[in-house]
Amino acid sequence: MPTATNVVEKFRLRAGERIVEQPGTPIATMSHAEEGRATFEPLDIAARREICLLALRGLRLAETPHLRRLGHFLLDRTLWFWTADALVKGEYVRDAVKRDVAALPHTAAAARVLSPSELRHEHAVPRKIVREHLTSLHVRWSDVDEDTALAEIAEVLDRCPPVLVTIEEDRQLGGQLRAGMGKGGSFEDTPFARYVRAGLVASAGELRFPPNGLWTPEGRYRSSAKHQ
């Protein structure tokens, strides 16, 4: 059963210790052989709620000037949790599907690489745009209960899919497309618009969506389905 401790443990630091992201390190430790046979499932209600609580905490911290950076850090990490983590054998695992083409949308070139190390986990809607959108929503949350706020956060995160691209394709997502949706773009665009603007695909229909993956071609998270 996922717990709050599972999600927030990495934010507990000893005196003088720095936060260093360790890609591919699960909270629930598995051997490589076990990992290869493991089945993944979407985040369940408990895990989703804890992640949304972190986002809400980040939004509240960002209102305090000297804690704004910490708040932004939590908001940015929230999106990673939503797009790279999954349940494996019922346990919450960090980066369980971070570079898994069987789980996440990807380009045709990404499907041909020989090693996951050649892939980049890209956020279709850049984290900066997601953070700004959540902040704009937070302005009117002073008169709603916590559950309503958490539901709105989940709704936003469910519209921000990841896409696996190659290292070379990642380089093409530079300039205004690195942290934004491109000239004239906004959060309200279709989530895959950046990849068309960057020339990675002619249309979003050219992206590949695993039939049993965690995201739909519409850019929605399949939070209630079972996956293998």
Side-chain angles (χ1 to χ4, degrees), residues 99-101 106-120 164-167 169:
R99 296 188 179 93
D100 188 347
V101 294
H106 54 277
T107 63
R112 295 192 293 267
V113 303
L114 299 178
S115 169
S117 64
E118 300 176 51
L119 296 175
R120 292 290 180 268
L164 299 179
V165 300
T166 65
I167 293 173
E169 287 174 327

Side-chain angles (χ1 to χ4, degrees), residues 95-217:
D95 293 337
V97 294
K98 185 174 182 179
R99 296 188 179 93
D100 188 347
V101 294
L104 304 183
H106 54 277
T107 63
R112 295 192 293 267
V113 303
L114 299 178
S115 169
S117 64
E118 300 176 51
L119 296 175
R120 292 290 180 268
H121 182 109
E122 236 278 317
H123 292 107
V125 182
R127 286 173 291 164
K128 180 176 182 288
I129 299 297
V130 179
R131 186 205 315 150
E132 290 175 349
H133 185 70
L134 285 172
T135 300
S136 70
L137 294 177
H138 186 232
V139 171
R140 61 181 177 81
W141 285 347
S142 59
D143 60 347
V144 302
D145 59 78
E146 185 174 85
D147 285 343
T148 299
L150 296 179
E152 292 212 32
I153 291 172
E155 174 67 19
V156 170
L157 298 180
D158 277 344
R159 294 169 54 196
C160 299
V163 175
L164 299 179
V165 300
T166 65
I167 293 173
E168 181 55 40
E169 287 174 327
D170 185 57
R171 293 193 183 104
Q172 291 179 242
L173 292 163
Q176 291 184 333
L177 293 173
R178 177 58 63 194
M181 297 298 289
K183 187 175 181 180
S186 71
F187 181 84
E188 302 305 328
D189 285 354
T190 57
F192 304 109
R194 288 171 65 241
Y195 304 107
V196 177
R197 290 179 179 133
L200 299 189
V201 292
S203 69
E206 291 186 8
L207 292 170
R208 300 187 176 191
F209 297 86
N212 293 320
L214 298 180
W215 297 82
T216 70

